[in-house]
Amino acid sequence: MAIADLGAVLRGAPKVELHIHIEGSLEPEMTFALARRNGITLPYADVAALRAAQQFTDLQSFLDLYYACTAVLRTAEDFQDLMLAYLARAAADGVVRAEIFFDPQVHAERGVAMATVIGGLTAGLREGQRQHGVEGALILCFLRHLSEAEAEQTLQQALPFLDQIAGFGLDSGEAGNPPGKFSRVFAACRALGKPVVAHAGEEGPAAYVRDAIDVLGVQRIDHGIRAIEDPALVQRLAALQMPLTVCPLSNQRLQVSPDLREHPLPQLLAAGVCVTVNSDDPAYFGGYLNANIAAVQAATPLTAHQWLTIISNSFQASLRDDAWKAAWQARLAAHFAEGGMLPAEARSR
Ligand code: HPA
Ligand code: ZN
């Protein structure tokens, strides 16, 4: 098989998605369907008008629309349907496991209880596993534009559901909301034995990536691309093998990296950083995981060997055990080999 078939090998490869906000998978069609079901009037005439509103100048302009659309999510059934729709799309892209963010504080503001949100999402995970064979895990994200006291209150509300929460994260508006604002609540999460991750270095400076590691004790950085501005930090990320969950179409659409030909992913990869590719908010940014991979490949073509590394990293960076990772990494390498992309052959290209 020739190099021309790399696209097909990538589309069919088994993968892990590590950076997906379930609320960011709310497609305009489903937004209108749920609005009708729940008797909510949207400030958009139709699906086309809502899609047309998906023009973003920065992270906040996106968050404004993203939070507004969550108004249609009311019942456990809504959250279940949302999760199942995402898992169907993920399965079509070869995703075998997804570690999925959710924002309970956004829903609490509208009076939707933690039990409703988690109950619906876990029902969706069970159904997605049954129908599509994708395994999923939930990561509860605290909203960084709110106070640490509010995050601590959210953690209290989550305690009865700890068995259904794989880890904790930090998202929303980054500028002016440094990791250190959440040092105590993250320490509490770690004391509960839960892994923690955080968005850092998306719009915020490289120093926030450093602080997420040193102050919050994260085991993964979401985005992290502005680390490229600090060569010593890039070296440290590589030495630590600290994974970055990079989201190319998100970076493009939020004007973090408007031209994908200049995106730092290849440079971070060359520096030995454990980079992964993910979709962030696919209903808003123009595509799911395979669309992100295709967009990178169109802008800055990488070799089969480089892609094998990136996708293998997604297994390595997951919250699963080493035996599971090794088994899937072997299957992934076999998939590349069967597609004519033997690692040795790929390396020589
Ligand atoms: N950054 C911060 N917060 C978010 C994002 C993001 O890309 N998507 C959803 N919430
Ligand atoms: Zn994100």
Side-chain angles (χ1 to χ4, degrees):
M1 196 184 271
I3 193 77
D5 296 305
L6 177 56
V9 169
L10 293 176
R11 284 190 295 278
K15 311 169 178 82
V16 180
E17 168 116 87
L18 298 170
H19 189 156
I20 163 79
H21 301 260
I22 197 63
E23 297 90 348
S25 72
L26 179 59
E27 292 284 341
E29 288 79 6
M30 184 179 271
T31 308
F32 273 88
L34 295 181
R36 268 193 302 278
R37 186 155 97 187
N38 292 323
I40 293 164
T41 306
L42 290 166
Y44 299 94
D46 52 25
V47 166
L50 177 49
R51 253 186 224 293
Q54 295 180 334
Q55 301 288 337
F56 310 118
T57 52
D58 56 11
L59 174 58
Q60 191 58 51
S61 66
F62 154 71
L63 290 171
D64 292 343
L65 183 66
Y66 164 91
Y67 292 136
C69 288
T70 61
V72 303
L73 296 164
R74 295 277 164 177
T75 67
E77 190 188 8
D78 299 338
F79 287 94
Q80 178 175 349
D81 291 352
L82 179 65
M83 178 61 82
L84 191 56
Y86 163 67
L87 292 172
R89 290 188 184 257
D93 279 2
V95 173
V96 298
R97 173 177 171 84
E99 298 180 1
I100 303 164
F101 297 131
F102 70 110
D103 285 339
Q105 287 167 291
V106 173
H107 311 302
E109 261 174 28
R110 302 191 315 279
V112 181
M114 186 74 78
T116 305
V117 178
I118 294 184
L121 293 176
T122 53
L125 287 177
R126 272 195 305 276
E127 199 53 26
Q129 171 84 270
R130 197 181 69 77
Q131 288 188 25
H132 305 294
V134 183
E135 68 172 46
L138 296 178
I139 298 179
L140 186 158
C141 274
F142 301 113
L143 298 180
R144 68 198 309 157
H145 69 274
L146 301 180
S147 68
E148 185 174 48
E150 286 164 292
E152 285 172 327
Q153 192 187 351
T154 302
L155 177 57
Q156 288 302 316
Q157 290 162 358
L159 291 179
F161 309 100
L162 272 191
D163 288 354
Q164 290 144 71
I165 297 171
F168 290 87
L170 185 64
D171 67 1
S172 192
E174 188 181 7
N177 293 304
K181 183 176 165 186
F182 297 93
S183 57
R184 283 175 309 170
V185 72
F186 267 61
C189 294
R190 285 187 278 111
L192 290 166
K194 295 293 181 180
V196 295
V197 301
H199 283 56
E202 178 188 19
E203 279 195 346
Y208 285 14
V209 175
R210 215 181 274 285
D211 288 352
I213 298 168
D214 295 332
V215 181
L216 300 185
V218 298
Q219 65 180 63
R220 215 157 65 198
I221 298 281
D222 297 309
H223 293 295
I225 58 169
R226 284 195 61 195
I228 201 72
E229 296 166 21
D230 181 343
L233 176 59
V234 171
Q235 271 186 11
R236 187 165 170 229
L237 293 173
L240 289 172
Q241 283 299 288
M242 173 65 64
L244 303 187
T245 64
V246 177
C247 306
L249 286 174
S250 166
N251 298 153
Q252 183 182 42
R253 293 290 297 275
L254 300 187
Q255 316 299 328
V256 168
S257 181
D259 185 346
L260 283 187
R261 289 171 303 183
E262 289 164 18
H263 194 281
L265 178 76
Q267 252 178 292
L268 291 163
L269 179 66
V273 178
C274 181
V275 286
T276 64
V277 169
N278 307 274
S279 72
D280 207 4
D281 302 284
Y284 292 84
F285 300 148
Y288 289 75
L289 185 45
N290 279 355
N292 275 271
I293 291 172
V296 169
Q297 190 61 358
T300 56
L302 303 177
T303 65
H305 181 251
Q306 286 174 308
W307 279 115
L308 178 55
T309 301
I310 291 172
I311 300 173
S312 190
N313 286 346
S314 75
F315 287 94
Q316 197 60 37
S318 78
L319 301 177
R320 276 295 229 121
D321 57 280
D322 289 344
W324 184 89
K325 294 178 186 182
W328 272 109
Q329 285 165 331
R331 282 179 70 167
L332 174 67
H335 171 83
F336 271 69
E338 284 158 17
M341 306 283 162
L342 288 167
E345 190 189 322
R347 258 197 296 275
S348 69
R349 284 204 171 91

